[in-house]
Amino acid sequence: MDFYEVLEKRRTYRDFSDREVSNEILERVIGAAFKAPTNDHLRQLEFVVVRDRENIAKVIAPLAKNMAAFKELVAEVDESDDKDKMAMFADALPKQQRMLIQSGLLIIPFFRQLTWPLLKPAEQSSLNYFASAWCALENMLLAATAEGLGTVFHIPVSDEADKIKKIVNVPSEYEFICLLTMGYPAENAFLPKQKAIHIEDKVHTNV
């Protein structure tokens, strides 16, 4: 696929087949993360890779008690009166745990937060490490798409991040941005309708 085809095909999948992702493909996808721009030029990224559903279930155990909070988001979605958003949330909310287990491959991207506490930035530039990590993740999403894989991530809420860091035993100066799973999409995988965006409505010139 050429680059713009990859962009077009990049979608969020929450339903995966049992087909295993090879280590060779996994290394290429993670390798793409290190091609992204980084604020300090050092690319201080580390990745925890968890295979097999039983092992993944142990890592994501802290998500279980937050399921009720996810369900409460439905009320917020209702207020938007957007049918496409409703359809996406109706599919996504019940699958928050299952989607991370189903593919049998969980990746946790870590970065070093060396200056300000992540959630208490002094200014925008205090988030540089965080922003660099998300640039790296986007490269991974596109690389996975080029490999024929589907991806989905869960951003930790409440105390999930701290508990998961303890489970995987990472140094205190490291933070993670999300729980990422990728795999070969199931034949009947649900794909929410993409919102149509008109570029001319989003670009403001010489204002």
Side-chain angles (χ1 to χ4, degrees):
M1 290 186 280
D2 70 21
F3 179 71
Y4 288 98
E5 186 179 1
V6 171
L7 287 179
E8 194 66 32
K9 288 184 176 293
R10 204 279 326 143
R11 300 289 298 277
T12 295
Y13 284 88
R14 295 182 176 88
D15 304 287
F16 298 96
S17 72
D18 292 329
R19 183 181 172 187
E20 185 175 344
V21 177
S22 71
N23 285 331
E24 181 182 4
I25 290 177
L26 176 60
E27 287 182 9
R28 286 201 294 267
V29 171
I30 291 179
F34 294 97
K35 304 299 182 184
T38 181
N39 68 296
D40 62 3
H41 200 64
L42 297 179
R43 292 177 166 79
Q44 297 186 81
L45 299 169
E46 304 284 341
F47 296 87
V48 171
V49 175
V50 187
R51 285 193 181 272
D52 300 323
R53 296 179 178 184
E54 183 177 341
N55 293 330
I56 294 172
K58 294 176 183 177
V59 172
I60 68 169
L63 273 63
K65 75 170 191 174
N66 291 328
M67 284 299 101
F70 282 121
K71 292 176 183 177
E72 289 177 8
L73 289 175
V74 173
E76 175 189 333
V77 177
D78 282 341
E79 293 173 6
S80 73
D81 198 33
D82 187 300
K83 292 182 180 179
D84 295 335
K85 186 178 179 183
M86 281 290 295
M88 183 277 292
F89 270 88
D91 178 72
L93 291 176
K95 295 180 179 178
Q96 289 298 307
Q97 287 176 282
R98 192 185 76 188
M99 69 185 188
L100 297 173
I101 295 176
Q102 197 175 43
S103 75
L105 172 61
L106 178 68
I107 303 170
I108 313 178
F110 283 90
F111 65 97
R112 293 183 72 186
Q113 183 68 16
L114 297 177
T115 52
W116 299 92
L118 177 60
L119 299 181
K120 297 179 180 179
E123 55 190 16
Q124 278 188 291
S125 64
S126 303
L127 297 170
N128 283 350
Y129 292 100
F130 186 62
S132 295
W134 276 105
C135 288
L137 185 80
E138 177 67 7
N139 271 21
M140 293 174 66
L141 299 181
L142 296 177
T145 301
E147 297 285 355
L149 302 173
T151 56
V152 64
F153 55 79
H154 169 83
I155 299 173
V157 299
S158 187
D159 58 355
E160 291 173 0
D162 288 338
K163 288 188 174 182
I164 290 172
K165 285 172 66 177
K166 289 180 181 178
I167 292 171
V168 298
N169 194 30
V170 301
S172 59
E173 71 269 23
Y174 278 88
E175 302 288 349
F176 72 95
I177 54 175
C178 68
L179 300 168
L180 171 67
T181 192
M182 62 180 63
Y184 294 95
E187 288 186 11
N188 61 343
F190 174 82
L191 280 179
K193 180 182 176 183
Q194 295 286 75
K195 297 299 295 182
I197 300 297
H198 301 288
I199 302 302
E200 60 273 17
D201 296 334
K202 300 294 184 179
V203 178
H204 311 280
T205 305
N206 296 333
V207 294

